[in-house]
Amino acid sequence: MGAEHDAAGVRIELTRGDIAAQPDIDAVVNAANAQLLPGGGVAGALHRAAGPELAAACRPHAPIRPGECVITEGFALPSQYVIHCLGPVYGIDEPAAGLLADCYRNALLLADRQGLASIAFPAVSAGSFGYPAREAADVALATVITTAPRLASVRRVRFVLFGEESLLVHEQAL
Ligand code: AR6
């Protein structure tokens, strides 16, 4: 288990694990591609666990732009919803930090508009998209903390990190 922190009544939890296996979370965030296709990494894991209905539900929303988020049902996932975010490709989509912050803020506000109480994020852009882990963690946590006062229904934000190193950089950022 990792660290916890309270920001304006919103609990921020850091944990190691699989974003596709979060039974006590209302919406999990997908580190998507623009076409909202299954792909690898987080997107692959979520689509595998959700089943083929997820790709079908995504199709009418595609393509999305960096920083943008859309919501679908979670189908066979333990979470009821998936919020698909397109993170910036590091070194290509600019400004990288601004676009990554847009992902986190837009996902939180979308979950809040749906009246959800909990949301879990992976480290968006910090895998295939090449965003340096510590810089991405700084943007992610700063954005959750600055957005927290605007949230009415979201009360729990979990970061589900894949490895020990990723958990460590998020703990340092927090
Ligand atoms: N649960 C939690 N974290 C995970 C999981 C998992 N099941 N699998 C990987 N990670 P990435 P991106 C970590 O590449 O950088 C896809 O192919 C991973 O170790 O999934 O935004 C899409 O189709 C890393 O720390 O997302 C896109 O084309 C972090 O999650 C592209 O990759 C994000 O890695 C998106 O790239």
Side-chain angles (χ1 to χ4, degrees):
M1 259 322 228
E4 283 193 11
H5 177 85
D6 183 273
V10 176
R11 191 162 95 219
I12 301 173
E13 310 168 350
L14 307 182
T15 186
R16 258 183 88 168
D18 179 358
I19 192 78
Q22 303 297 314
D24 56 341
I25 292 287
D26 296 325
V28 288
V29 171
N30 182 15
N33 50 71
Q35 297 303 327
L36 302 176
L37 293 169
V42 167
L46 288 174
H47 278 269
R48 267 194 307 279
E53 293 95 338
L54 184 59
C58 283
R59 212 164 290 131
H61 296 289
I64 62 169
R65 296 178 309 276
E68 199 182 346
C69 299
V70 297
I71 190 166
T72 66
E73 276 182 57
F75 301 97
L77 279 165
S79 300
Q80 196 181 352
Y81 295 99
V82 180
I83 295 179
H84 307 263
C85 292
L86 180 60
V89 177
Y90 195 73
I92 292 181
D93 297 318
E94 297 290 352
L99 292 170
L100 188 60
D102 289 346
C103 284
Y104 284 92
R105 186 183 322 101
N106 288 332
L108 289 165
L109 296 174
L110 185 50
D112 207 62
R113 279 198 301 277
Q114 291 283 320
L116 306 183
S118 56
I119 180 171
F121 288 96
V124 177
S125 283
S128 303
F129 282 179
Y131 212 115
R134 176 59 200 269
E135 289 170 40
D138 284 342
V139 171
L141 284 156
T143 306
V144 172
I145 289 167
T146 55
T147 307
R150 298 172 61 186
L151 301 175
S153 73
V154 172
R155 282 294 162 264
R156 220 147 44 85
V157 177
R158 179 178 295 162
F159 285 83
V160 181
L161 292 327
F162 216 38
E164 193 57 45
E165 181 62 29
S166 182
L167 177 60
L168 191 67
V169 295
H170 285 77
E171 284 173 351
Q172 288 165 347
L174 187 62

